[in-house]
Every structure is written in C-alpha cells, then in structure tokens.
Amino acid sequence: GWDVDVELRPMSIATKSALIGNDDVTQLLPAVIIATAYDPDSGEPLFTAADAEWLKDQPAGVIETVALEGLKISGVSEDAVETAKKDS
C-alpha cells in the first residue's frame, strides 16, 4: 500500500468534459442550470450568464444531476440531448 492518507475530490464539469473529450457538455450543462434554476421563495433566477464560468468549476456530479433534472422538467430527455449532439 501507499501508507499515506489520501483525500479525493470530485472533478469539475470542465475537467471531466476535457477528460472524456466532450467540450459540448461544459457549455450545455451550466446553460441548462442558468435557464432552469430559480429561488423557490422569490421566483428569481438563481444564476445568470455571468455565473457560467463558476458553474463549470463546480463538482461534475452535482452539475450533471441538477442539469438533467432541469432538462427532464423541460421535456428534454437524455436521449434527445445525445441525438442533438451527434447531429451537430
């Protein structure tokens, strides 16, 4: 063994996208969150376009989960997203 303590941290969505060679995800998922995430009390958007770079640096698992829910409630399936990416 290594005989050292190790702290694992999640990759950002930008790092994960670069690793798997899919930069489209880096742009798409933060954009979905910006378009669909609102404060439940005020009804105001939680994010603006100015937050896109910050969102790209957030943990990939969180961004993917929130964005996929945003797509789902908007009537867009994961399959439709994959098909659209292949067609572009």
Side-chain angles (χ1 to χ4, degrees):
W2 289 350
D3 197 30
V4 296
D5 292 332
V6 176
E7 177 182 349
L8 296 178
R9 296 182 180 186
M11 288 185 276
S12 70
I13 194 66
T15 301
K16 181 178 176 184
S17 296
L19 184 68
I20 63 174
N22 189 346
D23 289 332
D24 293 339
V25 172
T26 304
Q27 304 303 320
L28 176 67
L29 298 184
V32 169
I33 292 171
I34 291 166
T36 61
Y38 287 81
D39 181 303
D41 295 325
S42 70
E44 295 293 316
L46 287 175
F47 304 103
T48 68
D51 298 310
E53 290 302 314
W54 179 82
L55 287 166
K56 291 175 189 176
D57 289 333
Q58 300 311 299
V62 173
I63 296 298
E64 289 171 341
T65 299
V66 175
L68 290 175
E69 283 300 312
L71 289 170
K72 187 166 75 173
I73 65 165
S74 299
V76 180
S77 69
E78 285 183 65
D79 292 340
V81 173
E82 291 303 315
T83 300
K85 287 194 298 191
K86 290 177 188 168
D87 291 344
S88 60

